[in-house]
Every structure is written in C-alpha cells, then in structure tokens.
C-alpha cells in the first residue's frame, strides 16, 4: 500500500516515456544524474590530486606503465616531465620505452608519449623511434597514434632518426595518403624533412599519380608535394600530372590538382598542360568538373594556345550545342571575355544568330548581355559614319528626313543674347526625344503662339528672344536693364521673392514666373504659371 497516495510517477507529476510529451516533472531524474556525474568527476579529480600531491616518482617505480593508461596518472606524469628533472625523465623513460607502440595508440598514453618526446634527449629519442619502427604504419593509421607519431617526426634531429622514419614508412606511402589519419603523417614528413629526404614520397606519388590525385585526401597531399619539391622534383611531378591530365580533370578531386598547377602561373607548366586538352575541348566542356579546368585554361594560356582552344568551340555546329549545355555555356562565356581580337569577332558573329533560342534561360541572358556590351564597345571605337554590328535602322519621328535635321543651326544675328532658329525647313512637329523638342508639343498644335518657332504671339516675330515683346532680352521685363530690385544678379523679383538658381518644384508662390506673369504676351501664359508639375 502506498501510504502517501502517489499513483505512479513522482509526487503526482507524470514522467514522460520515450517520445512522450514534456509535462511537469519531466526530465527531473536525468538532470539529477548529470549533476551527480559532474560532481563525481570533480571529486575524483580532487582525490587524484590529493593522492599524487605528496607522491615521489621513485615510489611509483614499477607502476608507471599502468599510470600512463590512467587519466589522472597520465596527467601526474606529464606534470613531472614539465619539471625537466633529468632523473625523473630517465625513470619514466625506462618504464615507457618497451611499451611505446601500445602507449602511442592509447587514448591517454599518447599524451604522455608526446610529452616524453619533447623532454628526452637525442639518444633517448632514437631508442623510442627504433622501438616504434615495427608498427609505425599501424600507429599512423590510429586516431590517437597519428598525433604521437607526428610529434615524433616533428622532434627528429639526427640523420639516424630521419633514416629510421623513412625506412619505416617507405612502402606504405600510398596507403597512408588515402587514410584519414595517415595523410597527416605524410604531410608532417613533407613539412619537416628536406626535399632530398622526402624523395621517397615524391617517387610513390609520381608512380601512382591518378590513384593519389583522384582521392579525397590524396589530391591535397599531391598539391603539398608540388609545393615542397625542388626544381627537378617539381618538374617530374608536374610531368606526371600532365600525362594523366585527361583522367584527372574529369574527377571531382583530380580537377583541383590540375587547376593548382595552372594557378602556379609558370608558362613551362601551363602551356604543355593546356595543349594536352587539344581535340578534346568540346568533350571536356560538357562535363561538370572538367569544364572548370577548360575555363581556367582559356584564362591562363598564352595567346597562341588560347586561340587553338577557342577555335574548337567556334565551329557553329558545336557552338550551338555548347550554348545549350548547362556546363559548356560557361566555357563559351569565358571565351567571349578572353578571346583575342582576331578570334572574338568570329565568335560573336557565330553566337548572335543563336541568342533568340536561349534568351529565356538564365545563362542565355548573361550571354546576351555580354554580346550587347561587346557591340557597344565596337560602336564606341568605330569611326564616325561606320556601320557597327549593333546598328539598326530607325525611322525619325513624324517622318522627318534625318539628313535635314543635321542642317539645323543656331545663329545670333542680333548679338550674343539674341539667338534665331534657322533651318532649311520648318521644325517638325512632335517630340524628337526625351530630352527636348524639335517642334512644339502636340498638345499645343492648334495654338498660334508656338507657330513657326515663336514663343508668343507677336513676341518673337523674327525669332528674337524678347519675353515681353518690347525688344531684346530684358531681365526686369520693363527696360532691359539689370535692376538690384528685380533683376537676376541677386535673384530678386519686384515683389521681393527670392528665386532659387537651382531647379525647384514650381508653384505660384515660388516660381520665377509668378511675380510678372503678365509680362508674357502669350495667351497661354496670360495670368497663370505654366504646369511644370508634369515633369
């Protein structure tokens, strides 16, 4: 009998099962367990510190090997090694050296091995390397051992130690390169061995170029090999890549190796590599990975090699297929940007008839834009009167003969301020363009005020600009003089308003025409300001 009346659960709060809803009291026990685990861990660390605080290393002789595989014991030994006391180092070394292979792959022991390699002298380090030699490949493939082995390679200091490392890894280079942990050991060798000592790596990589270059980790190691190789070694590696370039560029990882060589920017490598793709440019352009390489070849190759590569895609029968391909169209776009002056006009003229068929696609719009930009550059560089590819026939407004428009001139028979409009024919009606009028706007077509180029009835009988119809231009509309009261020097009118010299939104209160609107002879501007609000 439950004397407290609790029906399952804890304190009347329902516990949730696996996948059940979260309710009051849910998750209470797991939280307690987590707190207890953290508390227990802290107490264990304190107990370990107290246990080893007053312990002398001499009292642990015979137990050091087991302490290396214990979390707290391993930390205690590392602290002892940090003291750099020679007898202490020798004591730990004596008990670890025969178990070095096991400890280098242990989750805790590998940390002690790394610290020991930092603390020992050359003689002691040579003994550790020699003892690890029989299983060095196994150590390199282990997730814990790879770190300890990299530390060992980092601290080698004598030719004897270097030779032992080379002899231990010489026959497993490709296996290590393809491993998640082992490839870091090979890269550590490249970083800390001289190019002569790393020759065993270059030999293995060159002999297995495709195997290494098409691997996820191998492609990175191959690039590092090219970085660290000396002149002749680098040339041999690049030659191997060029010989196998056709296979590498089609691979998700191998194409990066080829692009890396192109990025070096050395013509002795770039030219033969680009020429190795001749007669296969169309095929490689249609593939996802190799198309990137073809683009880079077009960018990096010399003038003659670039012309040969582009010549393969200029052929109209092939060009149409490339323009419609989801990968090859990018190759065509790159060719449009980097083709030489002799090839580009042929390429553009072959593309032009195909643009309407691909205009609706995203890449089709980009190609059309590039074509338009090219036409614009040609038009700006062409001499006056020359016909350009982008030129089209357009009829002038209202049937005006374009040859007559060129005869329109501005003359000034009455002085610098009186301009007359003269032409071999009367100005055409309608708008010429968005910037101005050739003739009066159609909305005033029946108004005699704008007939024959005049600005107002009787105001401009000879085409002279006289706003009040009484003579030449008079800023104050009365006697043609500049008056400080209503003239333009201080932008003041008769009523004292200040007219802004910059364009404003015109109304009756701030228009420069508002003060003396009656001065104009045109009935259109008789007693109201013009409707500039339509602009």
């Amino acid at each position: 009998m439950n004397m407290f009346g609790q029906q399952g659960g804890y304190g009347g709060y329902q516990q949730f099962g696996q996948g059940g809803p979260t309710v009051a009291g849910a998750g209470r026990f797991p939280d307690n367990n987590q707190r207890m685990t953290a508390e227990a861990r802290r107490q264990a660390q304190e107990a370990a510190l107290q246990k080893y605080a007053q312990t002398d290393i001499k009292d642990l002789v015979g137990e050091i090997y087991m302490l290396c595989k214990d979390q707290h014991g391993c930390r205690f030994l590392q602290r002892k090694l940090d003291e750099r006391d020679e007898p202490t180092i020798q004591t730990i070394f004596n008990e670890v050296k025969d178990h070095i292979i096991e400890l280098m792959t242990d989750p805790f022991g590998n940390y002690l091995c790394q610290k020991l390699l930092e603390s020992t002298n050359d003689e002691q380090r040579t003994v550790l390397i020699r003892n690890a030699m029989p299983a060095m490949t196994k150590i390199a493939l282990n997730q814990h051992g790879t770190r300890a082995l990299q530390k060992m390679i980092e601290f080698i200091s004598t030719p004897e130690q270097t030779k032992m490392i080379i002899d231990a890894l010489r026959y497993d280079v490709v296996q290590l390169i393809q491993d998640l942990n082992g490839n870091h050991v090979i890269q550590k060798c490249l970083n800390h061995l001289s190019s002569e000592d790393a020759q065993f790596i270059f030999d293995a990589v060159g002999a297995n170029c495709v195997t290494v270059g098409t691997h996820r980790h191998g492609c990175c190691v191959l690039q590092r090999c090219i970085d660290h190789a000396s002149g002749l070694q680098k040339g041999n590696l690049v030659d191997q890549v060029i010989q196998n370039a056709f296979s590498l560029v089609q691979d998700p990882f191998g194409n990066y190796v080829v692009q890396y060589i192109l990025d070096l920017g050395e013509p002795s490598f770039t030219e033969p590599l680009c020429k190795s793709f001749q007669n296969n440019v169309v095929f490689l352009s249609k593939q996802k990975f190799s198309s990137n390489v073809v683009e880079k070849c077009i960018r990096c190759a010399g003038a003659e090699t670039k012309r040969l590569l582009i010549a393969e895609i200029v052929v109209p029968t092939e060009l149409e297929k490339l323009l419609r391909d989801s990968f090859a169209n990018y190759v065509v776009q790159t060719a449009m940007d980097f083709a030489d002056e002799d090839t580009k006009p042929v390429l553009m003229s072959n593309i032009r008839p195909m643009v309407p068929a691909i205009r609706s696609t995203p890449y089709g719009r980009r190609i059309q834009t590039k074509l338009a930009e090219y036409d614009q550059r040609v038009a700006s560089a062409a001499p006056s009167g020359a016909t350009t590819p982008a030129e089209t026939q357009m009829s002038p407004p209202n049937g005006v003969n374009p040859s007559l428009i060129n005869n329109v001139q501005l003359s000034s028979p009455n002085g610098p301020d009186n301009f007359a409009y003269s032409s071999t024919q009367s100005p055409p009606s309608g708008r010429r363009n968005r910037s101005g009028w050739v003739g009066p706007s159609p909305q005033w077509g029946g108004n005699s005020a704008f007939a024959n180029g005049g600005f107002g009835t009787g105001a401009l009988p000879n085409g002279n600009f006289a706003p009040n119809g009484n003579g030449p231009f008079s800023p104050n509309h009365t006697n043609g003089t500049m008056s400080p009261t209503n003239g333009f020097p201080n932008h003041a009118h008769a009523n004292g308003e200040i007219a802004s010299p910059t364009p404003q939104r015109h109304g009756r209160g701030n228009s420069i025409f508002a003060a003396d609107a009656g001065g104009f002879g045109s009935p259109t501007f008789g007693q109201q300001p013009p409707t500039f609000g339509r602009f």
Side-chain angles (χ1 to χ4, degrees):
M1 178 178 178
N2 190 342
M3 60 182 299
F4 297 104
Q6 297 177 359
Q7 303 297 325
Y10 179 80
Y13 290 92
Q14 179 183 0
Q15 296 293 321
F16 65 94
Q18 184 174 0
T22 302
V23 294
R28 181 172 300 176
F29 291 140
D31 288 345
N32 290 338
N33 290 338
Q34 292 175 4
R35 285 196 295 270
M36 291 176 62
T37 301
E39 181 68 20
R41 187 183 301 111
R42 186 183 63 81
Q43 292 178 357
Q45 291 176 354
E46 292 179 355
L49 290 175
Q50 294 177 0
K51 176 181 178 180
Y52 297 110
Q54 305 299 327
T55 303
D56 192 296
I57 193 68
K58 297 179 181 178
D59 299 333
L60 298 175
V61 174
E63 302 179 8
I64 292 178
Y65 163 65
M66 296 303 299
L67 288 176
C68 290
K69 298 192 291 184
D70 176 74
Q71 179 181 8
H72 304 293
C74 178
R75 290 181 178 178
F76 166 73
L77 295 176
Q78 291 180 61
R79 288 195 297 271
K80 287 297 183 181
L81 290 173
D82 284 335
E83 296 175 0
R84 294 294 190 268
D85 180 63
E86 289 295 335
T88 300
I89 296 174
Q90 185 66 44
T91 301
I92 297 176
F93 168 78
N94 290 336
E95 296 206 20
V96 168
K97 63 179 181 179
D98 294 330
H99 305 280
I100 189 67
I101 295 176
E102 179 185 356
L103 292 178
M104 288 180 74
T105 56
D106 185 80
F108 301 116
N110 79 90
Y111 294 106
L112 177 69
C113 292
Q114 294 181 51
K115 184 67 68 174
L116 186 62
L117 289 166
E118 296 176 6
S119 306
T120 52
N121 56 36
D122 289 342
E123 182 180 353
Q124 294 169 332
R125 196 175 296 118
T126 300
V127 173
L128 294 176
I129 296 174
R130 182 181 295 110
N131 291 346
M133 278 184 63
M136 197 165 286
T137 298
K138 174 186 175 183
I139 295 172
L141 298 175
N142 183 268
Q143 61 177 336
H144 306 296
T146 183
R147 298 181 181 277
L149 184 53
Q150 290 176 57
K151 182 69 69 172
M152 181 178 286
I153 295 170
E154 184 177 342
F155 279 88
I156 57 177
S157 56
T158 66
E160 182 184 4
Q161 296 172 5
T162 301
K163 185 177 184 303
M164 288 189 293
I165 293 291
I166 294 173
D167 292 341
L169 302 177
R170 179 187 302 275
Y171 301 104
D172 299 310
V173 172
V174 176
Q175 179 186 0
L176 293 174
I177 286 176
Q178 294 180 318
D179 185 75
L180 176 64
N181 302 309
N183 79 88
H184 296 290
V185 173
I186 297 299
Q187 293 190 54
K188 182 65 71 171
C189 289
L190 292 172
N191 290 330
H192 287 274
L193 298 180
S194 65
S195 59
E196 292 78 10
D197 292 333
Q199 183 64 47
F200 76 101
I201 300 177
F202 302 146
D203 292 340
V205 170
N208 299 273
C209 181
V210 176
T211 303
V212 173
T214 56
H215 190 271
R216 179 185 299 273
H217 308 303
C219 68
C220 299
V221 175
L222 181 51
Q223 294 176 50
R224 299 290 77 76
C225 287
I226 296 173
D227 277 341
H228 293 283
S230 63
L232 184 59
Q233 292 170 329
K234 181 181 293 187
N236 292 333
L237 285 174
V238 173
D239 287 342
Q240 292 294 327
V241 173
I242 293 175
Q243 293 177 15
N244 298 279
F246 185 76
S247 300
L248 291 173
V249 296
Q250 301 178 62
D251 185 79
F253 306 110
N255 77 91
Y256 291 109
V257 177
V258 179
Q259 292 189 55
Y260 182 78
I261 295 177
L262 293 172
D263 290 334
L264 293 177
E266 298 186 19
S268 59
F269 298 155
T270 301
E271 292 302 307
L273 181 56
C274 293
K275 289 180 179 179
S276 67
F277 301 126
Q278 286 186 20
N279 302 322
N280 292 294
V281 174
V282 173
F283 173 77
L284 295 176
S285 297
K286 296 179 182 179
Q287 300 190 40
K288 180 178 181 180
F289 305 111
S290 57
S291 63
N292 295 321
V293 179
V294 174
E295 285 187 65
K296 185 158 290 187
C297 287
I298 294 175
R299 295 190 190 99
C300 302
E304 182 61 28
T305 305
K306 184 183 301 183
R307 189 178 298 111
L308 294 175
L309 296 177
I310 296 178
E312 296 187 32
I313 67 176
V314 171
V315 181
T317 55
E318 298 293 347
L319 183 58
E320 183 176 4
K321 298 175 184 177
L322 295 176
L323 287 172
R324 295 178 180 273
D325 188 83
S326 57
F327 302 120
N329 76 88
Y330 292 102
V331 176
V332 177
Q333 293 183 51
T334 302
M336 295 173 70
D337 292 333
F338 290 89
D340 58 78
E341 296 303 323
D342 296 330
T343 308
K344 185 174 290 188
V346 179
L347 177 62
M348 295 298 184
S349 61
N350 289 349
I351 292 176
R352 199 182 308 278
M354 305 174 188
V355 170
I358 61 173
R359 183 174 297 165
S360 59
T361 62
Y363 52 84
R365 288 191 288 270
R366 288 193 291 269
I367 291 174
Q368 186 178 11
T369 301
K370 290 180 181 293
L371 191 60
E373 292 174 353
Y374 169 77
D375 291 339
Q376 186 176 4
R377 288 194 298 270
V378 172
S380 61
S384 178
T387 304
T388 63
E391 189 173 4
T392 57
Q393 297 296 329
M394 298 180 62
S395 59
N398 297 328
V400 177
N401 187 347
S403 63
L404 298 179
I405 297 178
N406 295 330
N407 296 327
V408 177
Q409 299 177 351
L410 286 175
S411 61
S412 177
N414 299 322
D417 292 326
N418 293 326
F419 291 97
Y421 182 88
S422 63
S423 173
T424 56
Q425 69 169 21
S426 60
S429 61
R431 295 180 183 270
R432 177 183 178 184
N433 51 39
R434 296 180 62 183
S435 302
W437 295 332
V438 170
S441 173
Q443 63 179 319
W444 293 313
N447 194 338
S448 60
F450 289 86
N452 298 325
F455 198 80
T457 304
L460 298 172
N462 297 321
N464 294 330
F465 187 11
N468 59 0
N470 295 324
F473 177 60
S474 55
N476 60 0
H477 309 299
T478 55
N479 55 9
T481 61
M482 287 292 188
S483 157
T485 305
N486 57 4
F488 282 179
N490 59 356
H491 308 291
H493 291 276
N495 59 0
E497 289 186 350
I498 302 298
S500 171
T502 59
Q504 301 288 333
R505 186 180 297 276
H506 297 294
R508 190 171 184 85
N510 64 353
S511 172
I512 61 173
F513 301 108
D516 298 304
F520 289 90
S522 170
T524 307
F525 294 97
Q527 298 296 330
Q528 59 182 0
T531 56
F532 285 89
R534 296 182 181 180
F535 284 6

